[in-house]
Amino acid sequence: MPPSDDHPKPSMSSLKTGSLERSIALTKLGVGAGAKLVAHSIANIFRGEIDRSSADREFYQRQAQVLADELGKLKGSVMKAGQMLSLYGQYFLPEEAVEVLSELQDDTPPVDWKVVAPVLERNLGRSRLRELEIDTTPLAAASLGQVHRARRRSDGRELCVKIQYPGVADAIESDIRTLSRLLLMTRLTPKGLDITPVFHEVREMLYREVDYESERHYTEEFAERLADDPRFVVPEVFGEYSSDQVLTTSFEAGSHVRDETVQKLSLARRNALGNAFLELFLTEFFDWGMVQSDPHFGNYRIRVGARAGEDRIVLLDFGATRIFGRGFIEGYSEIVAGALAHDRERLRRGAQAIGLIAPGFNTAALDAFFGMCEAIVEPFAEAGDPRVAPALHNAKGGYKWGESDLPMRSSRIAALNALSVHFRVPPREIVFLHRRLAGVFIMLATLGCELSGREALLAALARVEAQR
């Protein structure tokens, strides 16, 4: 959880931690939102059926902000669950609902020190706490906890102390049930679609993110695997100041990717950073089967060096790390390889192997699916590929990530496919993998990179093939 770049927000003096009071707040919110949405016209919430007027869009935007603000005040698992549902929601919810859920970002108001201090004392003990000088104003506040900067008195070492909000783990089951009812009350899910598996996945992910012991393990694992790669910095874990509700690491300085110091770097240096970021993702998935699946910009910092070759990417927050099985990796590799080579039979075999499409897909549905897959690999196509607009490649064949509208085009294709009778909610692995993949694209676009990732991707696919 990174330092926030926003202006400080007023802190909250208390949290609704009881299941009853949280359920009442959520139900009240759901009834109000549902009534307004239904009154506005239930027929107008399904994408693609009619063109919305400017007034319609403004209405839903206002509703999105109200919902996001109110859920943000509740903190805890319901807000994080809303974020996760926005990932799945793009496949089966109307765009207004996705907008509501996507508004739930981890930049909510912090809570008062008096709320989290007892958690720290209970987990570490008073004698251990006396070794630290802790800034009671948080560096960052999110849905499940907040981070405070600290200094170890014995040697002046700068630390980050991540503290879980009290009661969030205990409220997960109740929050999931209530949020499920909220979706039903607002009548936003397509009739007949069973979203139980979606909530099972959200529940599992929530329990993973409140497991600070697991996050500690993955932080240490990434640090070990990247120890010899000077392009990356992973914080050091301080076990003596950590527990299942507290995680203390070294403080690692760096700038936001949008910071002027980063944006003013030469294209060559920005390309080097983008290439490192892309190669890290390819290594995580195809080689390790272990992916940090939360691409929030706050989870990365850029440490600008004195000269070219000395810039570093600081990696933060490994609570959303996911493990992928070799069978899934091999099937997904077939999809990517098939899309790159225009080999639709290979693409089909890979997609069926991981349950992305069913054997009964008709020709039209398959063509739409193939088209979507081939569009997604656009940045890895050869220069001169007729499927890629010539303006998206520079003179050296580098893909102009910042000038591409590929994410929007892909979303439109996915939205149209979602209306097909052959549509199914994709495997959970796909949702979180593509979450990170989208983050890679946005990172390279924000850096204004002009580079081809084709060779790196082909090398990763070859490594998978060699392991079969």
Side-chain angles (χ1 to χ4, degrees):
M1 191 186 308
S4 172
D5 295 304
D6 298 329
H7 296 296
K9 297 182 173 72
S11 62
M12 299 166 59
S13 60
S14 64
L15 290 175
K16 289 185 175 73
T17 57
S19 60
L20 178 60
E21 59 181 341
R22 290 174 67 81
S23 179
I24 290 173
L26 278 170
T27 302
K28 183 178 179 181
L29 180 59
V31 170
K36 291 178 182 178
L37 286 167
V38 172
H40 197 73
S41 173
I42 208 67
N44 197 28
I45 66 174
F46 291 102
R47 74 167 73 84
E49 295 211 349
I50 60 174
D51 292 330
R52 294 172 185 78
S53 67
S54 175
D56 288 332
R57 289 192 295 272
E58 290 175 2
F59 171 83
Y60 287 116
Q61 287 168 357
R62 288 196 302 271
Q63 284 298 102
Q65 194 58 57
V66 169
L67 281 170
D69 288 346
E70 291 304 313
L71 289 175
K73 291 176 185 177
L74 285 175
K75 292 278 192 183
S77 57
V78 67
M79 181 175 157
K80 196 71 178 182
Q83 294 174 7
M84 294 176 186
L85 279 175
S86 73
L87 303 176
Y88 279 105
Q90 62 185 305
Y91 298 101
F92 63 84
L93 290 176
E95 59 186 335
E96 287 78 16
V98 175
E99 180 181 5
V100 168
L101 297 170
S102 297
E103 287 289 328
L104 298 173
Q105 298 300 318
D106 273 353
D107 58 359
T108 56
V111 301
D112 287 350
W113 174 248
K114 67 180 182 180
V115 177
V116 295
V119 177
L120 199 58
E121 184 173 322
R122 185 169 59 252
N123 279 268
L124 302 187
R126 292 183 180 180
S127 60
R128 185 65 78 182
L129 282 178
R130 282 195 290 267
E131 299 174 13
L132 304 177
E133 183 181 318
I134 302 177
D135 186 348
T136 58
T137 300
L139 277 173
S143 51
L144 301 176
Q146 62 191 40
V147 174
H148 291 257
R149 193 165 179 174
R151 185 182 65 85
R152 187 161 59 181
R153 299 180 191 275
S154 62
D155 58 4
R157 187 70 186 271
E158 295 290 329
L159 307 175
C160 280
V161 183
K162 182 176 179 178
I163 311 169
Q164 190 174 119
Y165 293 132
V168 295
D170 296 333
I172 288 176
E173 292 298 332
S174 173
D175 283 354
I176 288 291
R177 287 195 300 270
T178 308
L179 194 57
S180 176
R181 289 198 299 269
L182 189 153
L183 274 184
L184 293 174
M185 290 167 65
T186 53
R187 306 182 194 178
L188 295 177
T189 53
K191 187 176 181 181
L193 179 65
D194 181 14
I195 60 171
T196 302
V198 172
F199 277 99
H200 284 329
E201 169 63 14
V202 171
R203 178 184 291 105
E204 179 184 327
M205 196 67 178
L206 285 169
Y207 277 115
R208 187 179 296 123
E209 291 212 21
V210 296
D211 184 354
Y212 283 10
E213 291 287 353
S214 175
E215 183 176 346
R216 171 184 173 176
H217 163 74
Y218 285 121
T219 304
E220 293 173 332
E221 183 74 16
F222 270 80
E224 181 179 348
R225 290 176 183 258
L226 295 172
D228 297 326
D229 193 331
R231 299 175 299 174
F232 304 102
V233 176
V234 179
E236 176 187 352
V237 173
F238 288 77
E240 65 270 36
Y241 305 118
S242 299
S243 71
D244 60 348
Q245 291 182 307
V246 177
L247 180 62
T248 300
T249 65
S250 56
F251 173 81
E252 301 294 344
S255 301
H256 193 282
V257 66
R258 292 196 180 98
D259 191 272
E260 186 178 10
T261 59
V262 177
Q263 293 294 312
K264 284 190 172 182
L265 291 173
S266 67
L267 177 59
R269 290 175 72 170
R270 285 182 282 113
N271 277 347
L273 287 167
N275 189 64
F277 198 77
L278 174 60
E279 287 187 1
L280 175 63
F281 166 70
L282 296 176
T283 299
E284 287 181 32
F285 177 64
F286 290 108
D287 297 313
W288 301 346
M290 182 178 71
V291 177
Q292 196 287 84
S293 66
D294 186 355
H296 189 281
F297 267 10
N299 290 337
Y300 308 95
R301 282 291 186 265
I302 307 299
R303 185 175 296 173
V304 176
R307 59 184 66 84
E310 296 181 357
D311 302 323
R312 305 285 182 266
I313 301 175
V314 180
L315 307 176
L316 304 168
D317 199 333
F318 297 89
T321 300
R322 294 191 62 87
I323 301 299
F324 293 85
R326 292 312 301 178
F328 178 85
I329 295 170
E330 291 172 2
Y332 192 86
S333 298
E334 286 290 283
I335 295 175
V336 175
L340 284 173
H342 312 288
D343 184 343
R344 293 194 164 186
E345 177 56 27
R346 188 176 186 181
L347 200 163
R348 182 192 62 77
R349 288 199 308 269
Q352 285 190 4
I354 64 174
L356 192 54
I357 64 173
F361 266 38
N362 62 29
T363 301
L366 281 174
D367 285 344
F369 174 75
F370 293 151
M372 180 172 62
C373 294
E374 291 174 353
I376 290 174
V377 300
E378 175 182 286
F380 307 97
E382 292 182 288
D385 188 313
R387 297 175 299 173
V388 184
L392 289 178
H393 281 128
N394 64 18
K396 296 181 179 180
Y399 187 78
K400 297 181 180 180
W401 296 79
E403 296 182 21
S404 174
D405 66 344
L406 179 60
M408 283 72 78
R409 281 186 279 127
S410 298
S411 295
R412 285 196 295 270
I413 296 172
L416 290 173
N417 287 344
L419 298 178
S420 165
V421 295
H422 298 279
F423 165 74
R424 58 174 56 186
V425 176
R428 61 185 187 177
E429 293 92 347
I430 286 285
V431 174
F432 289 93
L433 179 64
H434 284 185
R435 178 192 193 192
R436 172 66 183 282
L437 182 58
V440 171
F441 193 104
I442 295 170
M443 175 65 79
L444 270 61
T446 304
L447 287 169
C449 293
E450 296 183 12
L451 61 90
S452 171
R454 183 176 178 82
E455 294 306 316
L457 177 57
L458 289 176
L461 293 174
R463 294 194 298 272
V464 174
E465 188 66 29
Q467 293 181 38
R468 287 181 186 270

